[in-house]
Amino acid sequence: MTPEQQSRKTRVLCELAPVIPVLVVGDAARAEGLATALVAGGLPVLEVTLRTPAALQVITEMAKVTGGHVGAGTVLTPDDAKRAQDAGASFAVAPGATERLVRACEEIGLPLLPGAVTASEVMRAMEMGFSMLKFFPAEAAGGAKSLKSLAGPLPQVSFCPTGGVSIQNAPDYLALPNVTCVGGSWIAPDAEVAAGDWAAIEARARNAYALR
């Protein structure tokens, strides 16, 4: 699967909802309930970061939820990509882009949403064939104003900004012509996940869905 084909697939996913929940889940027993609540709230595309020992099992459990599209975040190496795909991930998200990782995802047919923040990084991703990118770390890199400045010289690239995005500033990003969706961790707070408060998380998901 070429980078061009990968970007077409990730763009379709990014267009499904205005927000992709970025999830750090340490207990696989919470995975199904969490995914069900998020999908019911209108957010079908989920990013499970590979930051906990349970992450791959979480992906496997979430992939069973009807209507959901589960991907792996913080994918850094070819091994990360392969293990995520084997666990049931339908796409991968990386904070940056390396030739080794891009080549690995191409070989195994796993759509990659690579990260870029500077004009040079975006141009390099474009040379590889990508047109749908993650903008990370969004707020630390200048926020919506910085991302808006890329739209003029690089209008053919779309972004999913992640990193410091909240319910308060998400509308600023979503108003930009080069933003397809945002990624955010505020939708599933650790305390509510630990408590299994799926009703509160579903309500927060519905509020996020209404941002579009």
Side-chain angles (χ1 to χ4, degrees), residues 41-78:
L43 306 182
V45 184
L46 315 176
E47 176 188 337
V48 178
T49 62
L50 300 184
R51 300 182 193 176
T52 71
L56 292 173
Q57 184 59 37
V58 170
I59 290 172
T60 297
E61 295 304 316
M62 286 189 170
K64 300 175 183 177
V65 175
T66 301
H69 305 272
V70 185
T74 322
V75 174
L76 307 178
T77 67

PDB file of all heavy atoms in Angstrom, residues 41-78:
ATOM      1  N   GLY A  41     -21.363   7.755  21.118  1.00  0.00           N
ATOM      2  CA  GLY A  41     -21.384   9.207  21.186  1.00  0.00           C
ATOM      3  C   GLY A  41     -21.053   9.886  19.877  1.00  0.00           C
ATOM      4  O   GLY A  41     -21.027  11.118  19.806  1.00  0.00           O
ATOM      5  N   GLY A  42     -20.775   9.093  18.843  1.00  0.00           N
ATOM      6  CA  GLY A  42     -20.543   9.665  17.525  1.00  0.00           C
ATOM      7  C   GLY A  42     -19.091   9.753  17.106  1.00  0.00           C
ATOM      8  O   GLY A  42     -18.780  10.343  16.072  1.00  0.00           O
ATOM      9  N   LEU A  43     -18.192   9.157  17.897  1.00  0.00           N
ATOM     10  CA  LEU A  43     -16.763   9.191  17.572  1.00  0.00           C
ATOM     11  C   LEU A  43     -16.276   7.775  17.291  1.00  0.00           C
ATOM     12  O   LEU A  43     -15.819   7.068  18.189  1.00  0.00           O
ATOM     13  CB  LEU A  43     -15.973   9.810  18.730  1.00  0.00           C
ATOM     14  CG  LEU A  43     -16.432  11.195  19.206  1.00  0.00           C
ATOM     15  CD1 LEU A  43     -15.530  11.693  20.325  1.00  0.00           C
ATOM     16  CD2 LEU A  43     -16.488  12.194  18.056  1.00  0.00           C
ATOM     17  N   PRO A  44     -16.361   7.328  16.036  1.00  0.00           N
ATOM     18  CA  PRO A  44     -16.056   5.940  15.718  1.00  0.00           C
ATOM     19  C   PRO A  44     -14.576   5.634  15.516  1.00  0.00           C
ATOM     20  O   PRO A  44     -14.186   4.469  15.513  1.00  0.00           O
ATOM     21  CB  PRO A  44     -16.821   5.708  14.421  1.00  0.00           C
ATOM     22  CG  PRO A  44     -16.790   7.042  13.753  1.00  0.00           C
ATOM     23  CD  PRO A  44     -16.901   8.050  14.870  1.00  0.00           C
ATOM     24  N   VAL A  45     -13.754   6.658  15.330  1.00  0.00           N
ATOM     25  CA  VAL A  45     -12.329   6.437  15.063  1.00  0.00           C
ATOM     26  C   VAL A  45     -11.546   6.663  16.352  1.00  0.00           C
ATOM     27  O   VAL A  45     -11.575   7.759  16.927  1.00  0.00           O
ATOM     28  CB  VAL A  45     -11.823   7.369  13.956  1.00  0.00           C
ATOM     29  CG1 VAL A  45     -10.363   7.050  13.625  1.00  0.00           C
ATOM     30  CG2 VAL A  45     -12.688   7.222  12.715  1.00  0.00           C
ATOM     31  N   LEU A  46     -10.847   5.641  16.810  1.00  0.00           N
ATOM     32  CA  LEU A  46     -10.180   5.665  18.112  1.00  0.00           C
ATOM     33  C   LEU A  46      -8.694   5.413  17.952  1.00  0.00           C
ATOM     34  O   LEU A  46      -8.284   4.519  17.212  1.00  0.00           O
ATOM     35  CB  LEU A  46     -10.787   4.598  19.032  1.00  0.00           C
ATOM     36  CG  LEU A  46     -12.320   4.510  19.060  1.00  0.00           C
ATOM     37  CD1 LEU A  46     -12.760   3.336  19.932  1.00  0.00           C
ATOM     38  CD2 LEU A  46     -12.929   5.821  19.567  1.00  0.00           C
ATOM     39  N   GLU A  47      -7.888   6.184  18.649  1.00  0.00           N
ATOM     40  CA  GLU A  47      -6.441   5.996  18.641  1.00  0.00           C
ATOM     41  C   GLU A  47      -5.989   5.528  20.017  1.00  0.00           C
ATOM     42  O   GLU A  47      -6.102   6.262  20.999  1.00  0.00           O
ATOM     43  CB  GLU A  47      -5.726   7.300  18.274  1.00  0.00           C
ATOM     44  CG  GLU A  47      -4.210   7.183  18.338  1.00  0.00           C
ATOM     45  CD  GLU A  47      -3.492   8.510  18.165  1.00  0.00           C
ATOM     46  OE1 GLU A  47      -4.077   9.436  17.578  1.00  0.00           O
ATOM     47  OE2 GLU A  47      -2.338   8.618  18.633  1.00  0.00           O
ATOM     48  N   VAL A  48      -5.494   4.313  20.091  1.00  0.00           N
ATOM     49  CA  VAL A  48      -4.970   3.756  21.343  1.00  0.00           C
ATOM     50  C   VAL A  48      -3.451   3.871  21.312  1.00  0.00           C
ATOM     51  O   VAL A  48      -2.790   3.224  20.494  1.00  0.00           O
ATOM     52  CB  VAL A  48      -5.384   2.279  21.516  1.00  0.00           C
ATOM     53  CG1 VAL A  48      -4.789   1.712  22.806  1.00  0.00           C
ATOM     54  CG2 VAL A  48      -6.903   2.157  21.525  1.00  0.00           C
ATOM     55  N   THR A  49      -2.897   4.690  22.164  1.00  0.00           N
ATOM     56  CA  THR A  49      -1.454   4.896  22.148  1.00  0.00           C
ATOM     57  C   THR A  49      -0.725   3.684  22.728  1.00  0.00           C
ATOM     58  O   THR A  49      -1.181   3.072  23.696  1.00  0.00           O
ATOM     59  CB  THR A  49      -1.063   6.141  22.959  1.00  0.00           C
ATOM     60  OG1 THR A  49      -1.444   5.963  24.326  1.00  0.00           O
ATOM     61  CG2 THR A  49      -1.751   7.372  22.399  1.00  0.00           C
ATOM     62  N   LEU A  50       0.411   3.368  22.146  1.00  0.00           N
ATOM     63  CA  LEU A  50       1.205   2.226  22.616  1.00  0.00           C
ATOM     64  C   LEU A  50       2.102   2.673  23.771  1.00  0.00           C
ATOM     65  O   LEU A  50       3.323   2.594  23.716  1.00  0.00           O
ATOM     66  CB  LEU A  50       2.046   1.672  21.468  1.00  0.00           C
ATOM     67  CG  LEU A  50       1.287   1.158  20.242  1.00  0.00           C
ATOM     68  CD1 LEU A  50       2.257   0.548  19.234  1.00  0.00           C
ATOM     69  CD2 LEU A  50       0.222   0.138  20.636  1.00  0.00           C
ATOM     70  N   ARG A  51       1.465   3.132  24.833  1.00  0.00           N
ATOM     71  CA  ARG A  51       2.205   3.656  25.976  1.00  0.00           C
ATOM     72  C   ARG A  51       1.990   2.857  27.250  1.00  0.00           C
ATOM     73  O   ARG A  51       2.518   3.216  28.304  1.00  0.00           O
ATOM     74  CB  ARG A  51       1.830   5.116  26.232  1.00  0.00           C
ATOM     75  CG  ARG A  51       2.114   6.045  25.063  1.00  0.00           C
ATOM     76  CD  ARG A  51       1.769   7.480  25.392  1.00  0.00           C
ATOM     77  NE  ARG A  51       1.738   8.321  24.208  1.00  0.00           N
ATOM     78  CZ  ARG A  51       1.376   9.602  24.214  1.00  0.00           C
ATOM     79  NH1 ARG A  51       1.022  10.172  25.350  1.00  0.00           N
ATOM     80  NH2 ARG A  51       1.370  10.296  23.081  1.00  0.00           N
ATOM     81  N   THR A  52       1.199   1.806  27.162  1.00  0.00           N
ATOM     82  CA  THR A  52       0.977   0.959  28.335  1.00  0.00           C
ATOM     83  C   THR A  52       1.183  -0.500  27.936  1.00  0.00           C
ATOM     84  O   THR A  52       1.012  -0.864  26.767  1.00  0.00           O
ATOM     85  CB  THR A  52      -0.449   1.118  28.898  1.00  0.00           C
ATOM     86  OG1 THR A  52      -1.388   0.518  27.978  1.00  0.00           O
ATOM     87  CG2 THR A  52      -0.796   2.589  29.099  1.00  0.00           C
ATOM     88  N   PRO A  53       1.528  -1.356  28.894  1.00  0.00           N
ATOM     89  CA  PRO A  53       1.700  -2.775  28.589  1.00  0.00           C
ATOM     90  C   PRO A  53       0.429  -3.426  28.043  1.00  0.00           C
ATOM     91  O   PRO A  53       0.494  -4.428  27.337  1.00  0.00           O
ATOM     92  CB  PRO A  53       2.096  -3.373  29.941  1.00  0.00           C
ATOM     93  CG  PRO A  53       2.713  -2.243  30.703  1.00  0.00           C
ATOM     94  CD  PRO A  53       1.915  -1.041  30.288  1.00  0.00           C
ATOM     95  N   ALA A  54      -0.722  -2.832  28.367  1.00  0.00           N
ATOM     96  CA  ALA A  54      -2.003  -3.425  27.950  1.00  0.00           C
ATOM     97  C   ALA A  54      -2.481  -2.916  26.600  1.00  0.00           C
ATOM     98  O   ALA A  54      -3.515  -3.369  26.097  1.00  0.00           O
ATOM     99  CB  ALA A  54      -3.073  -3.128  29.003  1.00  0.00           C
ATOM    100  N   ALA A  55      -1.731  -2.000  25.979  1.00  0.00           N
ATOM    101  CA  ALA A  55      -2.235  -1.308  24.786  1.00  0.00           C
ATOM    102  C   ALA A  55      -2.653  -2.251  23.662  1.00  0.00           C
ATOM    103  O   ALA A  55      -3.707  -2.067  23.042  1.00  0.00           O
ATOM    104  CB  ALA A  55      -1.185  -0.323  24.286  1.00  0.00           C
ATOM    105  N   LEU A  56      -1.847  -3.253  23.384  1.00  0.00           N
ATOM    106  CA  LEU A  56      -2.184  -4.153  22.273  1.00  0.00           C
ATOM    107  C   LEU A  56      -3.443  -4.957  22.567  1.00  0.00           C
ATOM    108  O   LEU A  56      -4.285  -5.159  21.674  1.00  0.00           O
ATOM    109  CB  LEU A  56      -1.007  -5.081  21.986  1.00  0.00           C
ATOM    110  CG  LEU A  56       0.240  -4.386  21.418  1.00  0.00           C
ATOM    111  CD1 LEU A  56       1.405  -5.377  21.335  1.00  0.00           C
ATOM    112  CD2 LEU A  56      -0.044  -3.784  20.053  1.00  0.00           C
ATOM    113  N   GLN A  57      -3.604  -5.390  23.812  1.00  0.00           N
ATOM    114  CA  GLN A  57      -4.818  -6.118  24.184  1.00  0.00           C
ATOM    115  C   GLN A  57      -6.021  -5.187  24.144  1.00  0.00           C
ATOM    116  O   GLN A  57      -7.121  -5.592  23.761  1.00  0.00           O
ATOM    117  CB  GLN A  57      -4.683  -6.732  25.581  1.00  0.00           C
ATOM    118  CG  GLN A  57      -5.866  -7.586  26.006  1.00  0.00           C
ATOM    119  CD  GLN A  57      -6.123  -8.757  25.061  1.00  0.00           C
ATOM    120  OE1 GLN A  57      -5.187  -9.353  24.542  1.00  0.00           O
ATOM    121  NE2 GLN A  57      -7.387  -9.084  24.830  1.00  0.00           N
ATOM    122  N   VAL A  58      -5.819  -3.931  24.509  1.00  0.00           N
ATOM    123  CA  VAL A  58      -6.893  -2.937  24.424  1.00  0.00           C
ATOM    124  C   VAL A  58      -7.348  -2.791  22.972  1.00  0.00           C
ATOM    125  O   VAL A  58      -8.549  -2.746  22.684  1.00  0.00           O
ATOM    126  CB  VAL A  58      -6.419  -1.579  24.982  1.00  0.00           C
ATOM    127  CG1 VAL A  58      -7.431  -0.477  24.667  1.00  0.00           C
ATOM    128  CG2 VAL A  58      -6.196  -1.665  26.488  1.00  0.00           C
ATOM    129  N   ILE A  59      -6.397  -2.718  22.061  1.00  0.00           N
ATOM    130  CA  ILE A  59      -6.732  -2.619  20.640  1.00  0.00           C
ATOM    131  C   ILE A  59      -7.550  -3.822  20.195  1.00  0.00           C
ATOM    132  O   ILE A  59      -8.560  -3.698  19.489  1.00  0.00           O
ATOM    133  CB  ILE A  59      -5.457  -2.482  19.795  1.00  0.00           C
ATOM    134  CG1 ILE A  59      -4.820  -1.105  20.018  1.00  0.00           C
ATOM    135  CG2 ILE A  59      -5.753  -2.691  18.303  1.00  0.00           C
ATOM    136  CD1 ILE A  59      -3.456  -0.944  19.383  1.00  0.00           C
ATOM    137  N   THR A  60      -7.123  -5.004  20.614  1.00  0.00           N
ATOM    138  CA  THR A  60      -7.836  -6.228  20.243  1.00  0.00           C
ATOM    139  C   THR A  60      -9.281  -6.201  20.723  1.00  0.00           C
ATOM    140  O   THR A  60     -10.209  -6.564  19.978  1.00  0.00           O
ATOM    141  CB  THR A  60      -7.117  -7.452  20.835  1.00  0.00           C
ATOM    142  OG1 THR A  60      -5.799  -7.543  20.277  1.00  0.00           O
ATOM    143  CG2 THR A  60      -7.871  -8.741  20.522  1.00  0.00           C
ATOM    144  N   GLU A  61      -9.486  -5.766  21.971  1.00  0.00           N
ATOM    145  CA  GLU A  61     -10.840  -5.730  22.522  1.00  0.00           C
ATOM    146  C   GLU A  61     -11.685  -4.647  21.855  1.00  0.00           C
ATOM    147  O   GLU A  61     -12.861  -4.867  21.559  1.00  0.00           O
ATOM    148  CB  GLU A  61     -10.782  -5.504  24.036  1.00  0.00           C
ATOM    149  CG  GLU A  61     -10.130  -6.634  24.816  1.00  0.00           C
ATOM    150  CD  GLU A  61     -10.795  -7.974  24.573  1.00  0.00           C
ATOM    151  OE1 GLU A  61     -12.054  -8.022  24.575  1.00  0.00           O
ATOM    152  OE2 GLU A  61     -10.087  -8.975  24.360  1.00  0.00           O
ATOM    153  N   MET A  62     -11.087  -3.490  21.622  1.00  0.00           N
ATOM    154  CA  MET A  62     -11.848  -2.403  21.002  1.00  0.00           C
ATOM    155  C   MET A  62     -12.216  -2.727  19.556  1.00  0.00           C
ATOM    156  O   MET A  62     -13.250  -2.284  19.064  1.00  0.00           O
ATOM    157  CB  MET A  62     -11.044  -1.106  21.059  1.00  0.00           C
ATOM    158  CG  MET A  62     -10.983  -0.474  22.423  1.00  0.00           C
ATOM    159  SD  MET A  62     -10.252   1.186  22.362  1.00  0.00           S
ATOM    160  CE  MET A  62     -10.616   1.759  24.032  1.00  0.00           C
ATOM    161  N   ALA A  63     -11.373  -3.476  18.879  1.00  0.00           N
ATOM    162  CA  ALA A  63     -11.632  -3.829  17.489  1.00  0.00           C
ATOM    163  C   ALA A  63     -12.875  -4.694  17.334  1.00  0.00           C
ATOM    164  O   ALA A  63     -13.412  -4.824  16.226  1.00  0.00           O
ATOM    165  CB  ALA A  63     -10.424  -4.532  16.891  1.00  0.00           C
ATOM    166  N   LYS A  64     -13.347  -5.272  18.420  1.00  0.00           N
ATOM    167  CA  LYS A  64     -14.547  -6.118  18.390  1.00  0.00           C
ATOM    168  C   LYS A  64     -15.837  -5.296  18.410  1.00  0.00           C
ATOM    169  O   LYS A  64     -16.915  -5.835  18.148  1.00  0.00           O
ATOM    170  CB  LYS A  64     -14.542  -7.073  19.578  1.00  0.00           C
ATOM    171  CG  LYS A  64     -13.354  -8.025  19.627  1.00  0.00           C
ATOM    172  CD  LYS A  64     -13.368  -8.851  20.908  1.00  0.00           C
ATOM    173  CE  LYS A  64     -12.156  -9.761  21.020  1.00  0.00           C
ATOM    174  NZ  LYS A  64     -12.130 -10.511  22.300  1.00  0.00           N
ATOM    175  N   VAL A  65     -15.729  -4.011  18.743  1.00  0.00           N
ATOM    176  CA  VAL A  65     -16.923  -3.169  18.891  1.00  0.00           C
ATOM    177  C   VAL A  65     -17.445  -2.749  17.517  1.00  0.00           C
ATOM    178  O   VAL A  65     -16.721  -2.156  16.712  1.00  0.00           O
ATOM    179  CB  VAL A  65     -16.606  -1.922  19.740  1.00  0.00           C
ATOM    180  CG1 VAL A  65     -17.800  -0.983  19.791  1.00  0.00           C
ATOM    181  CG2 VAL A  65     -16.208  -2.345  21.159  1.00  0.00           C
ATOM    182  N   THR A  66     -18.682  -3.053  17.263  1.00  0.00           N
ATOM    183  CA  THR A  66     -19.307  -2.747  15.974  1.00  0.00           C
ATOM    184  C   THR A  66     -19.325  -1.248  15.714  1.00  0.00           C
ATOM    185  O   THR A  66     -19.695  -0.456  16.587  1.00  0.00           O
ATOM    186  CB  THR A  66     -20.750  -3.284  15.951  1.00  0.00           C
ATOM    187  OG1 THR A  66     -20.727  -4.697  16.169  1.00  0.00           O
ATOM    188  CG2 THR A  66     -21.413  -2.995  14.619  1.00  0.00           C
ATOM    189  N   GLY A  67     -18.911  -0.872  14.528  1.00  0.00           N
ATOM    190  CA  GLY A  67     -18.949   0.534  14.134  1.00  0.00           C
ATOM    191  C   GLY A  67     -17.684   1.302  14.444  1.00  0.00           C
ATOM    192  O   GLY A  67     -17.562   2.463  14.051  1.00  0.00           O
ATOM    193  N   GLY A  68     -16.740   0.666  15.129  1.00  0.00           N
ATOM    194  CA  GLY A  68     -15.519   1.354  15.502  1.00  0.00           C
ATOM    195  C   GLY A  68     -14.374   1.096  14.533  1.00  0.00           C
ATOM    196  O   GLY A  68     -14.350   0.078  13.834  1.00  0.00           O
ATOM    197  N   HIS A  69     -13.445   2.031  14.483  1.00  0.00           N
ATOM    198  CA  HIS A  69     -12.225   1.902  13.692  1.00  0.00           C
ATOM    199  C   HIS A  69     -11.068   2.200  14.645  1.00  0.00           C
ATOM    200  O   HIS A  69     -10.875   3.357  15.041  1.00  0.00           O
ATOM    201  CB  HIS A  69     -12.212   2.879  12.521  1.00  0.00           C
ATOM    202  CG  HIS A  69     -13.405   2.767  11.623  1.00  0.00           C
ATOM    203  ND1 HIS A  69     -13.446   1.902  10.547  1.00  0.00           N
ATOM    204  CD2 HIS A  69     -14.602   3.405  11.665  1.00  0.00           C
ATOM    205  CE1 HIS A  69     -14.615   2.015   9.955  1.00  0.00           C
ATOM    206  NE2 HIS A  69     -15.335   2.914  10.604  1.00  0.00           N
ATOM    207  N   VAL A  70     -10.334   1.184  15.018  1.00  0.00           N
ATOM    208  CA  VAL A  70      -9.323   1.332  16.061  1.00  0.00           C
ATOM    209  C   VAL A  70      -7.925   1.339  15.462  1.00  0.00           C
ATOM    210  O   VAL A  70      -7.557   0.446  14.689  1.00  0.00           O
ATOM    211  CB  VAL A  70      -9.439   0.198  17.106  1.00  0.00           C
ATOM    212  CG1 VAL A  70      -8.456   0.433  18.247  1.00  0.00           C
ATOM    213  CG2 VAL A  70     -10.865   0.120  17.637  1.00  0.00           C
ATOM    214  N   GLY A  71      -7.168   2.354  15.833  1.00  0.00           N
ATOM    215  CA  GLY A  71      -5.798   2.452  15.365  1.00  0.00           C
ATOM    216  C   GLY A  71      -4.834   2.515  16.531  1.00  0.00           C
ATOM    217  O   GLY A  71      -5.236   2.687  17.682  1.00  0.00           O
ATOM    218  N   ALA A  72      -3.574   2.373  16.230  1.00  0.00           N
ATOM    219  CA  ALA A  72      -2.516   2.441  17.236  1.00  0.00           C
ATOM    220  C   ALA A  72      -1.785   3.763  17.120  1.00  0.00           C
ATOM    221  O   ALA A  72      -1.414   4.181  16.022  1.00  0.00           O
ATOM    222  CB  ALA A  72      -1.539   1.285  17.058  1.00  0.00           C
ATOM    223  N   GLY A  73      -1.592   4.429  18.254  1.00  0.00           N
ATOM    224  CA  GLY A  73      -0.845   5.671  18.276  1.00  0.00           C
ATOM    225  C   GLY A  73       0.540   5.463  18.877  1.00  0.00           C
ATOM    226  O   GLY A  73       0.823   4.416  19.450  1.00  0.00           O
ATOM    227  N   THR A  74       1.389   6.460  18.726  1.00  0.00           N
ATOM    228  CA  THR A  74       2.778   6.393  19.194  1.00  0.00           C
ATOM    229  C   THR A  74       3.488   5.199  18.556  1.00  0.00           C
ATOM    230  O   THR A  74       4.224   4.457  19.218  1.00  0.00           O
ATOM    231  CB  THR A  74       2.867   6.325  20.733  1.00  0.00           C
ATOM    232  OG1 THR A  74       1.878   7.167  21.323  1.00  0.00           O
ATOM    233  CG2 THR A  74       4.247   6.799  21.199  1.00  0.00           C
ATOM    234  N   VAL A  75       3.234   4.983  17.289  1.00  0.00           N
ATOM    235  CA  VAL A  75       3.913   3.929  16.534  1.00  0.00           C
ATOM    236  C   VAL A  75       5.253   4.499  16.068  1.00  0.00           C
ATOM    237  O   VAL A  75       5.290   5.452  15.294  1.00  0.00           O
ATOM    238  CB  VAL A  75       3.053   3.473  15.337  1.00  0.00           C
ATOM    239  CG1 VAL A  75       3.829   2.488  14.458  1.00  0.00           C
ATOM    240  CG2 VAL A  75       1.760   2.841  15.843  1.00  0.00           C
ATOM    241  N   LEU A  76       6.337   3.912  16.550  1.00  0.00           N
ATOM    242  CA  LEU A  76       7.669   4.466  16.298  1.00  0.00           C
ATOM    243  C   LEU A  76       8.551   3.597  15.418  1.00  0.00           C
ATOM    244  O   LEU A  76       9.464   4.095  14.762  1.00  0.00           O
ATOM    245  CB  LEU A  76       8.391   4.699  17.634  1.00  0.00           C
ATOM    246  CG  LEU A  76       7.648   5.535  18.682  1.00  0.00           C
ATOM    247  CD1 LEU A  76       8.485   5.621  19.960  1.00  0.00           C
ATOM    248  CD2 LEU A  76       7.333   6.922  18.152  1.00  0.00           C
ATOM    249  N   THR A  77       8.295   2.289  15.402  1.00  0.00           N
ATOM    250  CA  THR A  77       9.173   1.358  14.704  1.00  0.00           C
ATOM    251  C   THR A  77       8.363   0.397  13.835  1.00  0.00           C
ATOM    252  O   THR A  77       7.149   0.241  14.025  1.00  0.00           O
ATOM    253  CB  THR A  77       9.972   0.522  15.714  1.00  0.00           C
ATOM    254  OG1 THR A  77       9.072  -0.346  16.434  1.00  0.00           O
ATOM    255  CG2 THR A  77      10.724   1.410  16.704  1.00  0.00           C
ATOM    256  N   PRO A  78       9.022  -0.294  12.912  1.00  0.00           N
ATOM    257  CA  PRO A  78       8.338  -1.328  12.143  1.00  0.00           C
ATOM    258  C   PRO A  78       7.733  -2.407  13.034  1.00  0.00           C
ATOM    259  O   PRO A  78       6.645  -2.918  12.729  1.00  0.00           O
ATOM    260  CB  PRO A  78       9.452  -1.889  11.252  1.00  0.00           C
ATOM    261  CG  PRO A  78      10.365  -0.734  11.039  1.00  0.00           C
ATOM    262  CD  PRO A  78      10.382  -0.027  12.372  1.00  0.00           C
TER     263      PRO A  78
END
